[in-house]
Amino acid sequence: MVDLSVWEQAARAARDADILSVAAGALAVGIALIAAGLIRRGRTAVACAALVAAAVLAVGAHGLAGAQAPRTLSAEVGHVWGVSRVSCDTGFSYGLPDDGSYPCSWTKDGKTIKGTLRIKGSKAGLYVDGKALKPARDA
């Protein structure tokens, strides 16, 4: 089995950045709406400060959203085991799924192969007919 803990940490960090990006963007919109209300009341100095704050938040949200996301679990499996078109039924998008065995299929040398992805803690293994495949490279 291959240790995917470094990949998992990157995947979870990307999830957190996505959440912060959405929150910062929503806050920027809210501040901009407040600024619009202040302008209507003639409080332009305060409105300008609020618009600057909204712009700073919007730029920060854009920066978080543009951060390099790690490979998906399927792409990481393909990378580590040197296979392509990996499809695993884990039902999970960020990080590793719960410990267990998950049906997968992938392409190797032009042939579609059906096997199993096994997860135990932060380690993963790719198996065909109960036999572990050797990784093509480190995670």
Side-chain angles (χ1 to χ4, degrees):
M1 294 188 90
V2 175
D3 185 0
L4 297 180
S5 59
V6 172
W7 171 84
E8 184 175 28
Q9 288 173 347
R12 291 188 188 281
R15 176 203 57 203
D16 294 346
D18 287 349
I19 292 167
L20 286 173
S21 174
V22 169
L27 186 58
V29 168
I31 291 172
L33 290 173
I34 290 170
L38 290 170
I39 289 171
R40 285 185 163 200
R41 290 188 177 94
R43 301 192 63 195
T44 55
V46 176
C48 286
L51 286 173
V52 168
V56 168
L57 279 170
V59 168
H62 177 71
L64 285 171
Q68 175 87 19
R71 291 185 272 263
T72 63
L73 177 58
S74 293
E76 183 68 6
V77 166
H79 173 77
V80 170
W81 280 275
V83 296
S84 60
R85 294 184 165 176
V86 178
S87 176
C88 297
D89 189 18
T90 62
F92 212 75
S93 58
Y94 289 105
L96 291 170
D98 293 335
D99 288 1
S101 296
Y102 300 90
C104 287
S105 63
W106 60 87
T107 301
K108 177 90 176 181
D109 299 327
K111 296 178 185 174
T112 299
I113 300 166
K114 291 185 185 251
T116 304
L117 175 68
R118 292 187 188 157
I119 304 292
K120 185 169 185 176
S122 63
K123 296 187 178 198
L126 203 54
Y127 295 80
V128 176
D129 297 327
K131 295 181 183 177
L133 296 181
K134 290 184 180 183
R137 60 188 56 89
D138 291 331

